[in-house]
Amino acid sequence: MKRFNLKKFILASAILLLLGCFPFFFSGCGAQKYNVDYCGSKGCYSNAKDSYKAGTKVTLYFELIATDTDYSFTLDGEPVDWSYDDKKGFVIQFTMPDHNVKLECHSKNSMADYKTE
């Protein structure tokens, strides 16, 4: 019968412990996530998540577009640059700061000011 080898047991246990912890070293589990307040309109954005890690490049798509409406977007009250994709609609991109943010969509009916004479 083989004799129990304490050194091999400790070495094997240490290796297993390190391998078990290995994914946590690269998972960024300690990185802080911050919330996005979509002002009740999260469903209007494709690809929207509740929170992102600081420094993440966030890309959202706003697809619910009326042809007679002008749109603008603000992040914490500041204008957000956007582009347009024929298939996905408005493309809103920003880098997530290290705090919670508020994303707002502003819309104005462009035909409301139109007068016929």
PDB file of all heavy atoms in Angstrom, residues 29-48:
ATOM      1  N   CYS A  29     -13.727  41.613 -11.558  1.00  0.00           N
ATOM      2  CA  CYS A  29     -14.821  41.543 -10.592  1.00  0.00           C
ATOM      3  C   CYS A  29     -14.816  42.744  -9.655  1.00  0.00           C
ATOM      4  O   CYS A  29     -15.840  43.081  -9.089  1.00  0.00           O
ATOM      5  CB  CYS A  29     -14.777  40.236  -9.817  1.00  0.00           C
ATOM      6  SG  CYS A  29     -13.247  39.976  -8.894  1.00  0.00           S
ATOM      7  N   GLY A  30     -13.680  43.404  -9.501  1.00  0.00           N
ATOM      8  CA  GLY A  30     -13.619  44.552  -8.624  1.00  0.00           C
ATOM      9  C   GLY A  30     -13.948  45.861  -9.326  1.00  0.00           C
ATOM     10  O   GLY A  30     -14.057  46.892  -8.685  1.00  0.00           O
ATOM     11  N   ALA A  31     -14.110  45.847 -10.646  1.00  0.00           N
ATOM     12  CA  ALA A  31     -14.388  47.073 -11.389  1.00  0.00           C
ATOM     13  C   ALA A  31     -15.805  47.556 -11.083  1.00  0.00           C
ATOM     14  O   ALA A  31     -16.750  46.777 -11.081  1.00  0.00           O
ATOM     15  CB  ALA A  31     -14.218  46.853 -12.879  1.00  0.00           C
ATOM     16  N   GLN A  32     -15.938  48.817 -10.833  1.00  0.00           N
ATOM     17  CA  GLN A  32     -17.218  49.426 -10.474  1.00  0.00           C
ATOM     18  C   GLN A  32     -18.085  49.632 -11.713  1.00  0.00           C
ATOM     19  O   GLN A  32     -17.609  50.093 -12.734  1.00  0.00           O
ATOM     20  CB  GLN A  32     -16.964  50.779  -9.798  1.00  0.00           C
ATOM     21  CG  GLN A  32     -18.199  51.543  -9.431  1.00  0.00           C
ATOM     22  CD  GLN A  32     -18.939  50.945  -8.254  1.00  0.00           C
ATOM     23  OE1 GLN A  32     -18.326  50.404  -7.355  1.00  0.00           O
ATOM     24  NE2 GLN A  32     -20.241  51.040  -8.267  1.00  0.00           N
ATOM     25  N   LYS A  33     -19.348  49.255 -11.606  1.00  0.00           N
ATOM     26  CA  LYS A  33     -20.317  49.526 -12.661  1.00  0.00           C
ATOM     27  C   LYS A  33     -21.185  50.696 -12.226  1.00  0.00           C
ATOM     28  O   LYS A  33     -21.463  50.870 -11.038  1.00  0.00           O
ATOM     29  CB  LYS A  33     -21.205  48.305 -12.918  1.00  0.00           C
ATOM     30  CG  LYS A  33     -20.558  47.219 -13.717  1.00  0.00           C
ATOM     31  CD  LYS A  33     -21.583  46.162 -14.080  1.00  0.00           C
ATOM     32  CE  LYS A  33     -21.026  45.186 -15.082  1.00  0.00           C
ATOM     33  NZ  LYS A  33     -22.050  44.209 -15.496  1.00  0.00           N
ATOM     34  N   TYR A  34     -21.615  51.476 -13.213  1.00  0.00           N
ATOM     35  CA  TYR A  34     -22.472  52.621 -12.945  1.00  0.00           C
ATOM     36  C   TYR A  34     -23.753  52.506 -13.764  1.00  0.00           C
ATOM     37  O   TYR A  34     -23.761  51.960 -14.865  1.00  0.00           O
ATOM     38  CB  TYR A  34     -21.720  53.916 -13.264  1.00  0.00           C
ATOM     39  CG  TYR A  34     -20.523  54.100 -12.365  1.00  0.00           C
ATOM     40  CD1 TYR A  34     -19.259  53.728 -12.784  1.00  0.00           C
ATOM     41  CD2 TYR A  34     -20.680  54.615 -11.086  1.00  0.00           C
ATOM     42  CE1 TYR A  34     -18.159  53.871 -11.953  1.00  0.00           C
ATOM     43  CE2 TYR A  34     -19.589  54.762 -10.243  1.00  0.00           C
ATOM     44  CZ  TYR A  34     -18.339  54.391 -10.684  1.00  0.00           C
ATOM     45  OH  TYR A  34     -17.255  54.531  -9.852  1.00  0.00           O
ATOM     46  N   ASN A  35     -24.832  53.022 -13.225  1.00  0.00           N
ATOM     47  CA  ASN A  35     -26.154  52.880 -13.823  1.00  0.00           C
ATOM     48  C   ASN A  35     -26.448  53.955 -14.862  1.00  0.00           C
ATOM     49  O   ASN A  35     -25.959  55.081 -14.760  1.00  0.00           O
ATOM     50  CB  ASN A  35     -27.236  52.938 -12.747  1.00  0.00           C
ATOM     51  CG  ASN A  35     -27.116  51.794 -11.768  1.00  0.00           C
ATOM     52  OD1 ASN A  35     -26.746  50.691 -12.135  1.00  0.00           O
ATOM     53  ND2 ASN A  35     -27.411  52.064 -10.514  1.00  0.00           N
ATOM     54  N   VAL A  36     -27.295  53.570 -15.829  1.00  0.00           N
ATOM     55  CA  VAL A  36     -27.813  54.516 -16.816  1.00  0.00           C
ATOM     56  C   VAL A  36     -29.309  54.668 -16.557  1.00  0.00           C
ATOM     57  O   VAL A  36     -30.041  53.681 -16.534  1.00  0.00           O
ATOM     58  CB  VAL A  36     -27.586  54.020 -18.260  1.00  0.00           C
ATOM     59  CG1 VAL A  36     -28.185  55.001 -19.260  1.00  0.00           C
ATOM     60  CG2 VAL A  36     -26.102  53.813 -18.531  1.00  0.00           C
ATOM     61  N   ASP A  37     -29.744  55.903 -16.348  1.00  0.00           N
ATOM     62  CA  ASP A  37     -31.168  56.218 -16.208  1.00  0.00           C
ATOM     63  C   ASP A  37     -31.661  56.623 -17.592  1.00  0.00           C
ATOM     64  O   ASP A  37     -31.242  57.642 -18.131  1.00  0.00           O
ATOM     65  CB  ASP A  37     -31.345  57.357 -15.210  1.00  0.00           C
ATOM     66  CG  ASP A  37     -32.790  57.822 -15.079  1.00  0.00           C
ATOM     67  OD1 ASP A  37     -33.692  57.245 -15.730  1.00  0.00           O
ATOM     68  OD2 ASP A  37     -33.017  58.782 -14.317  1.00  0.00           O
ATOM     69  N   TYR A  38     -32.541  55.821 -18.170  1.00  0.00           N
ATOM     70  CA  TYR A  38     -33.064  56.084 -19.508  1.00  0.00           C
ATOM     71  C   TYR A  38     -34.358  56.888 -19.444  1.00  0.00           C
ATOM     72  O   TYR A  38     -35.060  57.003 -20.446  1.00  0.00           O
ATOM     73  CB  TYR A  38     -33.312  54.764 -20.241  1.00  0.00           C
ATOM     74  CG  TYR A  38     -32.048  53.972 -20.511  1.00  0.00           C
ATOM     75  CD1 TYR A  38     -31.637  52.970 -19.633  1.00  0.00           C
ATOM     76  CD2 TYR A  38     -31.275  54.218 -21.630  1.00  0.00           C
ATOM     77  CE1 TYR A  38     -30.492  52.235 -19.878  1.00  0.00           C
ATOM     78  CE2 TYR A  38     -30.122  53.490 -21.876  1.00  0.00           C
ATOM     79  CZ  TYR A  38     -29.731  52.501 -20.996  1.00  0.00           C
ATOM     80  OH  TYR A  38     -28.593  51.777 -21.241  1.00  0.00           O
ATOM     81  N   CYS A  39     -34.675  57.425 -18.294  1.00  0.00           N
ATOM     82  CA  CYS A  39     -35.870  58.247 -18.096  1.00  0.00           C
ATOM     83  C   CYS A  39     -37.144  57.481 -18.496  1.00  0.00           C
ATOM     84  O   CYS A  39     -38.040  58.044 -19.131  1.00  0.00           O
ATOM     85  CB  CYS A  39     -35.755  59.561 -18.859  1.00  0.00           C
ATOM     86  SG  CYS A  39     -34.333  60.548 -18.352  1.00  0.00           S
ATOM     87  N   GLY A  40     -37.183  56.215 -18.155  1.00  0.00           N
ATOM     88  CA  GLY A  40     -38.351  55.405 -18.451  1.00  0.00           C
ATOM     89  C   GLY A  40     -38.459  54.936 -19.883  1.00  0.00           C
ATOM     90  O   GLY A  40     -39.455  54.345 -20.275  1.00  0.00           O
ATOM     91  N   SER A  41     -37.440  55.182 -20.688  1.00  0.00           N
ATOM     92  CA  SER A  41     -37.495  54.837 -22.114  1.00  0.00           C
ATOM     93  C   SER A  41     -36.442  53.811 -22.526  1.00  0.00           C
ATOM     94  O   SER A  41     -36.034  53.774 -23.682  1.00  0.00           O
ATOM     95  CB  SER A  41     -37.320  56.106 -22.954  1.00  0.00           C
ATOM     96  OG  SER A  41     -38.356  57.002 -22.697  1.00  0.00           O
ATOM     97  N   LYS A  42     -36.009  52.978 -21.606  1.00  0.00           N
ATOM     98  CA  LYS A  42     -34.971  51.993 -21.936  1.00  0.00           C
ATOM     99  C   LYS A  42     -35.403  51.113 -23.103  1.00  0.00           C
ATOM    100  O   LYS A  42     -34.592  50.752 -23.954  1.00  0.00           O
ATOM    101  CB  LYS A  42     -34.644  51.135 -20.722  1.00  0.00           C
ATOM    102  CG  LYS A  42     -33.571  50.106 -21.000  1.00  0.00           C
ATOM    103  CD  LYS A  42     -33.293  49.233 -19.794  1.00  0.00           C
ATOM    104  CE  LYS A  42     -32.293  48.156 -20.167  1.00  0.00           C
ATOM    105  NZ  LYS A  42     -32.240  47.118 -19.150  1.00  0.00           N
ATOM    106  N   GLY A  43     -36.674  50.791 -23.186  1.00  0.00           N
ATOM    107  CA  GLY A  43     -37.177  49.934 -24.253  1.00  0.00           C
ATOM    108  C   GLY A  43     -37.073  50.547 -25.638  1.00  0.00           C
ATOM    109  O   GLY A  43     -37.178  49.841 -26.642  1.00  0.00           O
ATOM    110  N   CYS A  44     -36.858  51.846 -25.717  1.00  0.00           N
ATOM    111  CA  CYS A  44     -36.716  52.518 -27.014  1.00  0.00           C
ATOM    112  C   CYS A  44     -35.307  52.362 -27.589  1.00  0.00           C
ATOM    113  O   CYS A  44     -35.078  52.670 -28.753  1.00  0.00           O
ATOM    114  CB  CYS A  44     -37.032  54.004 -26.875  1.00  0.00           C
ATOM    115  SG  CYS A  44     -38.737  54.336 -26.413  1.00  0.00           S
ATOM    116  N   TYR A  45     -34.374  51.901 -26.765  1.00  0.00           N
ATOM    117  CA  TYR A  45     -32.979  51.753 -27.191  1.00  0.00           C
ATOM    118  C   TYR A  45     -32.637  50.277 -27.358  1.00  0.00           C
ATOM    119  O   TYR A  45     -32.851  49.471 -26.454  1.00  0.00           O
ATOM    120  CB  TYR A  45     -32.027  52.353 -26.157  1.00  0.00           C
ATOM    121  CG  TYR A  45     -32.203  53.829 -25.939  1.00  0.00           C
ATOM    122  CD1 TYR A  45     -33.051  54.311 -24.947  1.00  0.00           C
ATOM    123  CD2 TYR A  45     -31.518  54.750 -26.720  1.00  0.00           C
ATOM    124  CE1 TYR A  45     -33.210  55.669 -24.747  1.00  0.00           C
ATOM    125  CE2 TYR A  45     -31.667  56.111 -26.517  1.00  0.00           C
ATOM    126  CZ  TYR A  45     -32.517  56.559 -25.529  1.00  0.00           C
ATOM    127  OH  TYR A  45     -32.672  57.905 -25.330  1.00  0.00           O
ATOM    128  N   SER A  46     -32.095  49.929 -28.510  1.00  0.00           N
ATOM    129  CA  SER A  46     -31.574  48.579 -28.701  1.00  0.00           C
ATOM    130  C   SER A  46     -30.186  48.532 -28.085  1.00  0.00           C
ATOM    131  O   SER A  46     -29.456  49.515 -28.112  1.00  0.00           O
ATOM    132  CB  SER A  46     -31.457  48.249 -30.189  1.00  0.00           C
ATOM    133  OG  SER A  46     -32.709  48.297 -30.805  1.00  0.00           O
ATOM    134  N   ASN A  47     -29.828  47.369 -27.558  1.00  0.00           N
ATOM    135  CA  ASN A  47     -28.500  47.145 -27.000  1.00  0.00           C
ATOM    136  C   ASN A  47     -28.305  47.849 -25.650  1.00  0.00           C
ATOM    137  O   ASN A  47     -27.177  48.013 -25.202  1.00  0.00           O
ATOM    138  CB  ASN A  47     -27.421  47.584 -28.000  1.00  0.00           C
ATOM    139  CG  ASN A  47     -26.091  46.934 -27.750  1.00  0.00           C
ATOM    140  OD1 ASN A  47     -26.025  45.784 -27.371  1.00  0.00           O
ATOM    141  ND2 ASN A  47     -25.013  47.672 -27.975  1.00  0.00           N
ATOM    142  N   ALA A  48     -29.384  48.276 -24.997  1.00  0.00           N
ATOM    143  CA  ALA A  48     -29.284  49.019 -23.738  1.00  0.00           C
ATOM    144  C   ALA A  48     -29.141  48.081 -22.543  1.00  0.00           C
ATOM    145  O   ALA A  48     -29.863  47.100 -22.425  1.00  0.00           O
ATOM    146  CB  ALA A  48     -30.501  49.913 -23.560  1.00  0.00           C
TER     147      ALA A  48
END
